[in-house]
Amino acid sequence: MNNIPVGILGASGYAGRELCALVAAHPQLTLAFATADRRRGETVRVPAPLGVAGRPTDVTFVATDDAPLGDAALVFSALPHGASAEWSRRAHEAGAKVVDLSSDLRPGHLTSELLATLGARRSALALTSAGVSAERRAPTDEESSIPYGLTELNREAVRAAEVVANPGCYPTAILVALAPLARAGLLATGATVVADAASGVTGAGNSPREDLLFGEVTGSFRAYGAGNVHRHLPEMRATLGALGADVDLIFTPHLLPVARGILATCTVPVTAAPADALAVWRDAYAGEPFVEVVDALPSLADVQHRNVVRLTVLPVKGVRTPTLQVFAAIDNLMKGAAGQAVQNANLMLGLDETAGLPR
Amino acid sequence: MNNIPVGILGASGYAGRELCALVAAHPQLTLAFATADRRRGETVRVPAPLGVAGRPTDVTFVATDDAPLGDAALVFSALPHGASAEWSRRAHEAGAKVVDLSSDLRPGHLTSELLATLGARRSALALTSAGVSAERRAPTDEESSIPYGLTELNREAVRAAEVVANPGCYPTAILVALAPLARAGLLATGATVVADAASGVTGAGNSPREDLLFGEVTGSFRAYGAGNVHRHLPEMRATLGALGADVDLIFTPHLLPVARGILATCTVPVTAAPADALAVWRDAYAGEPFVEVVDALPSLADVQHRNVVRLTVLPVKGVRTPTLQVFAAIDNLMKGAAGQAVQNANLMLGLDETAGLPR
Amino acid sequence: MNNIPVGILGASGYAGRELCALVAAHPQLTLAFATADRRRGETVRVPAPLGVAGRPTDVTFVATDDAPLGDAALVFSALPHGASAEWSRRAHEAGAKVVDLSSDLRPGHLTSELLATLGARRSALALTSAGVSAERRAPTDEESSIPYGLTELNREAVRAAEVVANPGCYPTAILVALAPLARAGLLATGATVVADAASGVTGAGNSPREDLLFGEVTGSFRAYGAGNVHRHLPEMRATLGALGADVDLIFTPHLLPVARGILATCTVPVTAAPADALAVWRDAYAGEPFVEVVDALPSLADVQHRNVVRLTVLPVKGVRTPTLQVFAAIDNLMKGAAGQAVQNANLMLGLDETAGLPR
Amino acid sequence: MNNIPVGILGASGYAGRELCALVAAHPQLTLAFATADRRRGETVRVPAPLGVAGRPTDVTFVATDDAPLGDAALVFSALPHGASAEWSRRAHEAGAKVVDLSSDLRPGHLTSELLATLGARRSALALTSAGVSAERRAPTDEESSIPYGLTELNREAVRAAEVVANPGCYPTAILVALAPLARAGLLATGATVVADAASGVTGAGNSPREDLLFGEVTGSFRAYGAGNVHRHLPEMRATLGALGADVDLIFTPHLLPVARGILATCTVPVTAAPADALAVWRDAYAGEPFVEVVDALPSLADVQHRNVVRLTVLPVKGVRTPTLQVFAAIDNLMKGAAGQAVQNANLMLGLDETAGLPR
């Protein structure tokens, strides 16, 4: 199956442009439209994504209002939070499947009103019960409504879904890091999990902001959104809860003088230290094409322009409570946004999950 | 008192050069000698340190063996760990006071053999009993031996000392962040304190190493020395213990694509959340010339080239255990090394503590 | 003379903030007002400029319309090009001396209408006839009108002026590099001078622009304003002409992934190669407090946060036309903007030229 | 033809690693050996080159002395200048074709002694007489000896060669920029061409050097090798001469705080300004797969990780001599080293010129 038409809403932001590049170079997808209200009428040359063979393509933006939603088999929405849900609804109504990259449809954000208008029931998180290595089976009605598209945790529900909520960038790194512990029952009730994470600047989008100018960011480093109040917490809490963990997550994001990439350093007290900690993750992600469980501490350079989570685990020495540290790196625009969106779209369209994605 | 001669051992590294700059611009110190074995005979122009009025000075390095130790009223040793203690001993023997910037004389590193050769008794940490706002009093014999020169925690002992162990860069940020909680008795026994910190590259020195080349560091970010095994842990544990805290500290350093600066993000469970958390730090550091307790999250840009610790505190929302986060930023070469060394030297020489230091 | 009140129009941009910092730390100036229309009412903490002893100051912005122009002995205008001339006129009318940092009053930009409204005659460039090491003498009427404030070329006219046009950042580096050759008559008529220069991003101001976001600038490099059409050309041509040179200048700016600093590489055919090229510059700038003629190739790191031009000269080998290369580095916000503005203000107010300036 | 074995001498440097990546992902090449004396025995994971589909490969370095030269159909030598020629000779003697990335075999460097030992006659530059759009024809004996592998200028000679001298990175950008003018006879005899170019740090290799540490390079910019004495001048002069141009080239390299990429800004007086300057380049490079003649000023970001020269041309305004500026950007490790080496190897092995190369 080739030349499947897909559309992109909000194509001029960083995630939107990466989606354009991935779709243009995808062996089986073709770009039906790309919208960008402020830049409508403009034609931009989109290079092939690094890590994928392909040639540059010219993309001409149309206004979102003018997008021929019905022409697309699947629509990606990279519109801003708040505006995205309504356009996902319209695209779905027009007959397209939808991957929504905003937070609008994610656990903890989706309102019952919105669910009603979307005409869909939805579980907070539609996880396959037997975990990531579960046999493939048909998802339940509930699961197939609007699953949380962290693909590795929720593959079968994504495959069957009409609409998928693509995860946030930080949650992708942190949940892939923590899920095996949750599944293995190694997280004590009430334990405090500290996830300090740092992101490149593209995570904040390309709308002009003084605090994101080169002169403000270069040579510096700071936390932001501190106090455990970041927009990404609800989806992380919901997912950990769905995985059976009853922990207190403390998540603190930081801004790096780097264009792209996220590193999450997760400090996790465990009920018992596994003899071979890394084996827990190796087993959990055996066969996963986009998870790299490695011996060395991952760096951003290891994952930039690649649709992977790269992680390692170390036992913490010199403490009374058995504790592990999980270090997970992703490219925030790839596995943290556009790449994972294509990964989900591949499943939803019956394609090979890895098609058109750089590893 | 002016033109006090001081010497610098190991003057060609980053900390050593910063010391040269500070000494050259200092209103009351004069540079007696600066050693650099591999670059002996070389003359370098040392700019005035940013933040201090002054003019560039030419410094000619001599071999460490040729340093006229006895000419100096005080010697700074910025020699490598392992080599520094012996030279501090020789400088002391030659009649100079000593500020040793290596880890050799810090709590957890100093051996009894070395103590014996240094001819000094020494407490693991010679803290004034009444804390940072204590009245000035004569230190005990014990305190005056080789105090740990985190000036704000140990001012009177430093003032009276012949030899001071200058703290590590990370411990300076983290201990200034945590000390008020320890003193206030807010740290529960056995609690786990997570200190994730990130440093600019000058923290690793200027000896050529492939992993510190520009092409390897730019655009990336990674943890290092992970698993709670970093060289700076003993001095932090000893100091927290001396302050009365019985906690498990988990410290993880990260390497930033930045020249200078450290940000420490400390997540600390407390026995009870203070109504006004920031007030604890404001009170603890009232009147301190080099501690800035602020409302906003500190960034590296706020502290670069300045001899300060800048910090803020936030209560952590949405968790069952009352928890605070302390964010502390320093310049690793200033308050984290050379600046603090001069701050200590000022006290040891009877000068104004702030003389010649950029704020 | 102390506590001379000065005002700053357009104080929230990069140059304006640097001016706030310099004025706040200046031993004889005091800040009467600082305007910033979009941020009026906001209070910002301005750190002491690096390189100058001083403490942070709080500055509260007022609207430009509300600025008590008459309260200031001197007003700096760092308003945008186009808007600045009219406010300089008003400030002058209100009795203040004026240093205008915009291009509005510079050679090639000032219109006769504006000159009329400013009530001033003005030479294209009011140079002292005997060059930079000229004896101090009273300037002519013509010279005292609105001199071009490249201080080293025009000191006496600046000293006597009511209104000064502060030079652009690129022209400061390039003209200080080329002036000695022009004065020495070494530039052949019709010769082509190639000035390729690269600037840090603060040169473009801090108004939010997508192309100046960190993610767009980091890791890249490009020319801009190419084709010999940059706004700074008229003032460079006029100044070279006034210095007696009849050359064709080709100036091409480039954007560096750096916060601050300009390096200009000037390739200059000469009528005859001096035996000791560097001596021409050493002689021309002997005694100049803010020009460093050095042996080594200057880097941005050499000059950042300092009010200097640092330059060197090399003969070009292997070519038929005798040719020199002059390499000149400045900090675009210091000697290229705010520092030079204070240098000019010092002269206009009868203060020591170097007061309050980092070297 | 698949699975053609190739070897890499000097595989642990930046160019060598890029070669490993390109060979590992190449559809028709297979890695026979990779040498790295200091790191022999070490296994590194080489990621697929960005821009080429592929998976990471493990490469184990052997000592250069242990390389089975005869097993390879073609050997790339990325050994240091000075050492490379002798190993190229040995590889050739062992029966392999050779692409030598060092300067040893390039015009102006190759000695007659070396030529003798290489058993080959060699022209200074073996250009096809009719230029880049020449009909394919058999090269002369002379041409086939050791052509200068700037592929676009010398395709047929490369195709027939046993040994090719891969060009330097700067010359690649500058010669592709200037060649069409030379061929068109637009360069006046004795004219001065100014080529100011700036390179990312990987151009200097990955041997540890203090001046290339992150802390020394970040935030700065400087010229180096100034005075028109850089190692790359002989090959540029020889090539321009072979193209019929008798000009004086002034080449000045600069060091950027960037990992990879070169931008060359070439200012060129011409005998007559073409009505449509860009058309000269469009015509010269019509059909070239790796030259992009564009309207906009190229940036490093446009070319990083791609085997292309991207360039544009502008007429210079306001000067008496008709003058053009050519702006050319390349990735110094791709089109400037490893990519061009593979491009040449493809031709030498009878493969499609674009095989395995990112565009």
PDB file of all heavy atoms in Angstrom, chain C residues 131-147:
ATOM      1  N   GLY C 131      45.077  64.323  13.417  1.00  0.00           N
ATOM      2  CA  GLY C 131      44.973  62.891  13.691  1.00  0.00           C
ATOM      3  C   GLY C 131      44.827  62.559  15.159  1.00  0.00           C
ATOM      4  O   GLY C 131      44.655  63.427  16.011  1.00  0.00           O
ATOM      5  N   VAL C 132      44.908  61.278  15.430  1.00  0.00           N
ATOM      6  CA  VAL C 132      44.522  60.803  16.750  1.00  0.00           C
ATOM      7  C   VAL C 132      45.438  61.285  17.859  1.00  0.00           C
ATOM      8  O   VAL C 132      45.021  61.375  19.011  1.00  0.00           O
ATOM      9  CB  VAL C 132      44.453  59.266  16.784  1.00  0.00           C
ATOM     10  CG1 VAL C 132      43.338  58.768  15.888  1.00  0.00           C
ATOM     11  CG2 VAL C 132      45.774  58.658  16.418  1.00  0.00           C
ATOM     12  N   SER C 133      46.682  61.543  17.520  1.00  0.00           N
ATOM     13  CA  SER C 133      47.567  61.979  18.600  1.00  0.00           C
ATOM     14  C   SER C 133      47.691  63.506  18.631  1.00  0.00           C
ATOM     15  O   SER C 133      48.614  64.056  19.206  1.00  0.00           O
ATOM     16  CB  SER C 133      48.949  61.333  18.433  1.00  0.00           C
ATOM     17  OG  SER C 133      49.437  61.588  17.140  1.00  0.00           O
ATOM     18  N   ALA C 134      46.720  64.154  17.985  1.00  0.00           N
ATOM     19  CA  ALA C 134      46.745  65.612  17.933  1.00  0.00           C
ATOM     20  C   ALA C 134      46.691  66.222  19.325  1.00  0.00           C
ATOM     21  O   ALA C 134      46.125  65.662  20.256  1.00  0.00           O
ATOM     22  CB  ALA C 134      45.569  66.121  17.124  1.00  0.00           C
ATOM     23  N   GLU C 135      47.263  67.356  19.427  1.00  0.00           N
ATOM     24  CA  GLU C 135      47.129  68.148  20.657  1.00  0.00           C
ATOM     25  C   GLU C 135      45.660  68.524  20.852  1.00  0.00           C
ATOM     26  O   GLU C 135      44.926  68.733  19.905  1.00  0.00           O
ATOM     27  CB  GLU C 135      47.909  69.474  20.501  1.00  0.00           C
ATOM     28  CG  GLU C 135      49.364  69.318  20.185  1.00  0.00           C
ATOM     29  CD  GLU C 135      50.190  69.765  21.372  1.00  0.00           C
ATOM     30  OE1 GLU C 135      49.949  70.882  21.867  1.00  0.00           O
ATOM     31  OE2 GLU C 135      51.044  68.969  21.821  1.00  0.00           O
ATOM     32  N   ARG C 136      45.279  68.635  22.068  1.00  0.00           N
ATOM     33  CA  ARG C 136      43.919  69.089  22.318  1.00  0.00           C
ATOM     34  C   ARG C 136      43.791  70.555  21.895  1.00  0.00           C
ATOM     35  O   ARG C 136      44.635  71.377  22.206  1.00  0.00           O
ATOM     36  CB  ARG C 136      43.581  68.958  23.797  1.00  0.00           C
ATOM     37  CG  ARG C 136      43.571  67.505  24.220  1.00  0.00           C
ATOM     38  CD  ARG C 136      42.994  67.313  25.578  1.00  0.00           C
ATOM     39  NE  ARG C 136      42.830  65.868  25.812  1.00  0.00           N
ATOM     40  CZ  ARG C 136      42.252  65.364  26.878  1.00  0.00           C
ATOM     41  NH1 ARG C 136      41.783  66.159  27.806  1.00  0.00           N
ATOM     42  NH2 ARG C 136      42.129  64.066  27.022  1.00  0.00           N
ATOM     43  N   ARG C 137      42.762  70.845  21.186  1.00  0.00           N
ATOM     44  CA  ARG C 137      42.535  72.237  20.797  1.00  0.00           C
ATOM     45  C   ARG C 137      41.030  72.428  20.733  1.00  0.00           C
ATOM     46  O   ARG C 137      40.265  71.458  20.694  1.00  0.00           O
ATOM     47  CB  ARG C 137      43.171  72.517  19.438  1.00  0.00           C
ATOM     48  CG  ARG C 137      42.575  71.660  18.340  1.00  0.00           C
ATOM     49  CD  ARG C 137      43.038  72.054  16.952  1.00  0.00           C
ATOM     50  NE  ARG C 137      42.477  71.144  15.956  1.00  0.00           N
ATOM     51  CZ  ARG C 137      41.208  71.158  15.548  1.00  0.00           C
ATOM     52  NH1 ARG C 137      40.351  72.036  16.040  1.00  0.00           N
ATOM     53  NH2 ARG C 137      40.776  70.296  14.651  1.00  0.00           N
ATOM     54  N   ALA C 138      40.592  73.653  20.690  1.00  0.00           N
ATOM     55  CA  ALA C 138      39.162  73.911  20.575  1.00  0.00           C
ATOM     56  C   ALA C 138      38.708  73.476  19.197  1.00  0.00           C
ATOM     57  O   ALA C 138      39.375  73.761  18.195  1.00  0.00           O
ATOM     58  CB  ALA C 138      38.873  75.388  20.770  1.00  0.00           C
ATOM     59  N   PRO C 139      37.599  72.771  19.095  1.00  0.00           N
ATOM     60  CA  PRO C 139      37.102  72.367  17.785  1.00  0.00           C
ATOM     61  C   PRO C 139      36.509  73.583  17.065  1.00  0.00           C
ATOM     62  O   PRO C 139      36.139  74.572  17.677  1.00  0.00           O
ATOM     63  CB  PRO C 139      36.008  71.374  18.127  1.00  0.00           C
ATOM     64  CG  PRO C 139      35.556  71.764  19.490  1.00  0.00           C
ATOM     65  CD  PRO C 139      36.736  72.351  20.184  1.00  0.00           C
ATOM     66  N   THR C 140      36.442  73.492  15.773  1.00  0.00           N
ATOM     67  CA  THR C 140      35.777  74.539  15.017  1.00  0.00           C
ATOM     68  C   THR C 140      34.267  74.448  15.250  1.00  0.00           C
ATOM     69  O   THR C 140      33.758  73.441  15.760  1.00  0.00           O
ATOM     70  CB  THR C 140      36.035  74.362  13.519  1.00  0.00           C
ATOM     71  OG1 THR C 140      35.443  73.118  13.128  1.00  0.00           O
ATOM     72  CG2 THR C 140      37.529  74.310  13.241  1.00  0.00           C
ATOM     73  N   ASP C 141      33.558  75.496  14.833  1.00  0.00           N
ATOM     74  CA  ASP C 141      32.099  75.473  14.941  1.00  0.00           C
ATOM     75  C   ASP C 141      31.539  74.238  14.264  1.00  0.00           C
ATOM     76  O   ASP C 141      30.667  73.546  14.787  1.00  0.00           O
ATOM     77  CB  ASP C 141      31.508  76.698  14.233  1.00  0.00           C
ATOM     78  CG  ASP C 141      31.496  77.894  15.167  1.00  0.00           C
ATOM     79  OD1 ASP C 141      32.068  77.770  16.271  1.00  0.00           O
ATOM     80  OD2 ASP C 141      30.938  78.920  14.770  1.00  0.00           O
ATOM     81  N   GLU C 142      32.081  74.020  13.100  1.00  0.00           N
ATOM     82  CA  GLU C 142      31.600  72.916  12.294  1.00  0.00           C
ATOM     83  C   GLU C 142      31.772  71.599  13.060  1.00  0.00           C
ATOM     84  O   GLU C 142      30.852  70.775  13.153  1.00  0.00           O
ATOM     85  CB  GLU C 142      32.422  72.877  10.990  1.00  0.00           C
ATOM     86  CG  GLU C 142      31.926  71.907   9.955  1.00  0.00           C
ATOM     87  CD  GLU C 142      30.626  72.408   9.324  1.00  0.00           C
ATOM     88  OE1 GLU C 142      30.056  73.429   9.790  1.00  0.00           O
ATOM     89  OE2 GLU C 142      30.177  71.761   8.395  1.00  0.00           O
ATOM     90  N   GLU C 143      32.919  71.409  13.573  1.00  0.00           N
ATOM     91  CA  GLU C 143      33.217  70.179  14.274  1.00  0.00           C
ATOM     92  C   GLU C 143      32.310  69.964  15.474  1.00  0.00           C
ATOM     93  O   GLU C 143      31.995  68.842  15.834  1.00  0.00           O
ATOM     94  CB  GLU C 143      34.673  70.191  14.753  1.00  0.00           C
ATOM     95  CG  GLU C 143      35.673  69.940  13.620  1.00  0.00           C
ATOM     96  CD  GLU C 143      37.088  70.166  14.086  1.00  0.00           C
ATOM     97  OE1 GLU C 143      37.262  70.745  15.167  1.00  0.00           O
ATOM     98  OE2 GLU C 143      38.007  69.765  13.358  1.00  0.00           O
ATOM     99  N   SER C 144      31.920  71.015  16.096  1.00  0.00           N
ATOM    100  CA  SER C 144      31.212  70.856  17.360  1.00  0.00           C
ATOM    101  C   SER C 144      29.729  70.569  17.173  1.00  0.00           C
ATOM    102  O   SER C 144      29.007  70.376  18.140  1.00  0.00           O
ATOM    103  CB  SER C 144      31.387  72.105  18.217  1.00  0.00           C
ATOM    104  OG  SER C 144      30.832  73.206  17.538  1.00  0.00           O
ATOM    105  N   SER C 145      29.280  70.521  15.921  1.00  0.00           N
ATOM    106  CA  SER C 145      27.842  70.336  15.737  1.00  0.00           C
ATOM    107  C   SER C 145      27.386  68.921  16.124  1.00  0.00           C
ATOM    108  O   SER C 145      26.932  68.698  17.237  1.00  0.00           O
ATOM    109  CB  SER C 145      27.463  70.677  14.305  1.00  0.00           C
ATOM    110  OG  SER C 145      28.296  69.966  13.404  1.00  0.00           O
ATOM    111  N   ILE C 146      27.464  67.966  15.238  1.00  0.00           N
ATOM    112  CA  ILE C 146      27.089  66.581  15.599  1.00  0.00           C
ATOM    113  C   ILE C 146      28.191  65.652  15.164  1.00  0.00           C
ATOM    114  O   ILE C 146      28.072  64.955  14.151  1.00  0.00           O
ATOM    115  CB  ILE C 146      25.775  66.137  14.930  1.00  0.00           C
ATOM    116  CG1 ILE C 146      24.661  67.143  15.196  1.00  0.00           C
ATOM    117  CG2 ILE C 146      25.366  64.756  15.469  1.00  0.00           C
ATOM    118  CD1 ILE C 146      23.320  66.718  14.626  1.00  0.00           C
ATOM    119  N   PRO C 147      29.257  65.598  15.858  1.00  0.00           N
ATOM    120  CA  PRO C 147      30.349  64.758  15.402  1.00  0.00           C
ATOM    121  C   PRO C 147      29.987  63.279  15.448  1.00  0.00           C
ATOM    122  O   PRO C 147      29.111  62.857  16.196  1.00  0.00           O
ATOM    123  CB  PRO C 147      31.500  65.069  16.357  1.00  0.00           C
ATOM    124  CG  PRO C 147      30.888  65.740  17.511  1.00  0.00           C
ATOM    125  CD  PRO C 147      29.581  66.337  17.079  1.00  0.00           C
TER     126      PRO C 147
END
